[in-house]
Amino acid sequence: MHDHRRLGRELELFHADPLSGAGLPVWLPAGAAARHAVEEYVRELERRAGYQHVYSPPLGKRELFELSGHLGYFAADMFPVLRLSADDEFVLRPALCPHHALVYRARGRSYRELPLRIAELGGMYRPERSGVLGGLSRVRAISLNDAHNFCAPEQVGAEVVEVLDLIRAAHAALGVRPAGFRLSLRGPGGKYVGDDEEWQRAEDLLRAALVGLPYVEAPGEAAFYGPKIDIQVRDVAGRESTLSTIQLDFDKPARFDLCYTDARGRRARPVMVHRSLVGSMERLFAYLIEVHAGAFPAWYAPVQVQVLPVGPEQVAAAEAFRRDCVLAGLRAELVVDGSLGARVRAAAQRRVPYAAVLGAREVSAGQVALRLRDGRSVEPMSAPDALRLVTGIVLGRSAELLP
Ligand SMILES: [Zn+2]
């Protein structure tokens, strides 16, 4: 494994500029292309699992975060309030839940709509101390893959199990290898809301969902509003951090007075399940860059195909193949300068999965020769076959470069 900060620089994935600010990296085109592919995948996975996506602003009225409890229990982890005038104060949100509670209560809800799964890949802010910042693993502007699943109380257990399944699917596709499961519980001290009975009920539900899985218990690591399952990953230095999480919350539905009409026409209170399948895009990529040493699976590689004509006579055919790749939805570029050997090596160094080489023989036969970044090469095949091979791997989100 390599340090993601060094690889991020070498592969031009992101840029940390002092003028942008500590913990406020900029995603460069290559990093943004990879992230875009991952975001699309996550949204598709969620859509298929019955999630509905929303957009909400990263800034909200102070009163919203007083109601949610964040200003009372979490203010030390938030940026100071922004003041336009005495009665117009705003908060850079530290979490998306308050806005999603507003989505829930935008109209009346029936039991038939539950579980109501509201998802967003949204921005939030935390004033991490400048000493702990670096690269993408700890940042101050966070893009979180988040959702809040509003359930009837009797649905919570099955919902948690279903979320665990989705987390497993996302990890398999991305190449995440979890370091372990953690059941994060209350610790000593008064920084927790809710009564003992609720906490006990939530802990029991999470324990039941974890049956058969190896996990450790971590007192003091719960959110202020409820216990959670954290799925840990380890970085290049062996440090553990939380990537995916499932949290139970009986408190916010009460604070926001959320309710639904149950099957007998009575008013009932939903339970809120906060969950993130892959965590923030920043922490996720810090991890993915290291675990893959920059060589992402082809489906989210920033450039998937580099087309290399052997000489000037093959440039037109190479450009036509590049265009076909782009029209087929691939990220492809043409590289003409330098010797073929140097270009093949440079493509592999940039972790481009496929170099498509076109020499005189290939062009006259309507073929291309694929060279893989791991040094393997494939017998020349017709251009449409080569295109089908690569698009098949990419659309199947395969971890392998060949079928
Ligand atoms: Zn939340």
Side-chain angles (χ1 to χ4, degrees):
M1 288 221 298
H2 299 280
D3 187 326
H4 81 274
R5 285 169 296 191
R6 186 170 66 74
L7 280 169
R9 231 181 356 258
E10 283 172 16
L11 301 173
E12 297 183 41
L13 299 173
F14 62 92
H15 176 56
D17 194 308
L19 206 48
S20 174
L24 297 166
V26 176
W27 294 70
L28 297 174
R35 169 173 161 179
H36 190 94
V38 168
E39 289 188 0
E40 263 187 351
Y41 160 72
V42 172
R43 285 204 184 92
E44 184 187 317
L45 181 71
E46 289 172 341
R47 204 163 46 238
R48 285 168 192 252
Y51 287 75
Q52 303 179 68
H53 292 93
V54 298
Y55 290 111
S56 59
L59 193 67
K61 287 277 280 185
R62 175 195 185 111
E63 289 79 358
L64 176 60
F65 296 88
E66 276 167 353
L67 181 60
S68 71
H70 283 94
L71 277 170
Y73 290 87
F74 201 69
D77 294 303
M78 295 167 62
F79 277 97
V81 171
L82 299 163
R83 188 166 191 212
L84 280 183
S85 64
D87 57 354
D88 214 9
E89 293 185 322
F90 294 89
V91 163
L92 276 173
R93 67 178 173 193
L96 278 65
C97 355
H99 281 104
H100 290 187
L102 298 184
V103 170
Y104 182 93
R105 71 174 205 186
R107 64 166 168 78
R109 301 288 177 183
S110 150
Y111 72 98
R112 292 180 204 281
E113 292 178 80
L114 306 185
L116 183 72
R117 306 180 177 103
I118 300 299
E120 180 172 3
L121 211 154
M124 58 183 225
Y125 298 84
R126 303 257 172 111
E128 301 277 1
R129 287 173 298 108
S130 57
V132 304
L133 300 173
L136 294 177
S137 43
R138 290 286 275 274
V139 292
R140 288 172 163 169
I142 300 160
S143 316
L144 188 67
N145 156 243
D146 202 7
H148 296 89
N149 303 2
F150 301 89
C151 305
E154 66 275 14
Q155 293 173 327
V156 175
E159 189 67 11
V160 171
V161 170
E162 205 171 303
V163 172
L164 276 171
D165 285 343
L166 276 182
I167 288 174
R168 261 190 288 272
H171 286 181
L174 290 161
V176 174
R177 295 191 279 273
F181 290 75
R182 189 173 80 179
L183 179 59
S184 294
L185 305 169
R186 260 188 316 182
K191 55 177 181 146
Y192 303 100
V193 294
D195 60 41
D196 289 346
E197 194 193 326
E198 279 175 358
W199 276 83
Q200 193 55 52
R201 190 149 58 102
E203 280 179 32
D204 291 346
L205 279 167
L206 293 181
R207 271 207 190 83
L210 283 168
V211 164
L213 290 170
Y215 68 93
V216 295
E217 300 201 353
E221 294 292 335
F224 72 83
Y225 46 76
K228 56 191 179 127
I229 295 172
D230 289 322
I231 297 159
Q232 306 295 102
V233 292
R234 212 168 274 135
D235 72 4
V236 68
R239 279 180 302 246
E240 253 190 33
S241 58
T242 300
L243 195 66
S244 314
T245 174
I246 310 174
Q247 319 182 352
L248 296 194
D249 188 351
F250 298 96
D251 179 61
K252 263 178 219 72
R255 285 173 176 268
F256 281 88
D257 194 24
L258 305 184
C259 56
Y260 62 93
T261 308
D262 73 11
R264 290 154 72 184
R266 294 171 313 191
R267 211 175 114 97
R269 179 86 72 214
V271 178
M272 195 169 179
V273 178
H274 309 242
R275 54 104 281 195
S276 179
L277 302 182
V278 293
S280 72
M281 287 300 114
E282 291 80 13
R283 184 171 286 176
L284 174 65
F285 268 89
Y287 173 78
L288 292 176
I289 293 167
E290 293 188 354
V291 79
H292 294 299
F296 299 137
W299 66 270
Y300 63 92
V303 173
Q304 295 161 318
V305 182
Q306 264 195 4
V307 188
L308 311 178
V310 171
E313 298 78 30
Q314 289 87 43
V315 168
E319 169 56 20
F321 183 67
R322 185 202 65 84
R323 217 172 29 242
D324 288 346
C325 288
V326 171
L327 288 176
L330 299 173
R331 294 180 288 278
E333 47 181 52
L334 180 73
V335 182
V336 294
D337 290 330
S339 75
L340 179 66
R343 281 180 284 157
V344 169
R345 278 194 301 278
Q349 253 161 32
R350 279 187 58 200
R351 319 298 203 266
V352 176
Y354 304 97
V357 178
L358 286 91
R361 209 162 4 136
E362 282 84 16
V363 170
S364 67
Q367 294 184 324
V368 301
L370 293 178
R371 307 276 292 266
L372 310 189
R373 67 180 166 209
D374 57 17
R376 286 180 291 168
S377 47
V378 183
E379 281 297 301
M381 60 176 83
S382 78
D385 281 350
L387 200 56
R388 256 192 301 277
L389 185 151
V390 176
T391 49
I393 295 287
V394 165
L395 292 177
R397 298 201 171 97
S398 169
E400 307 297 331
L401 296 185
L402 291 176

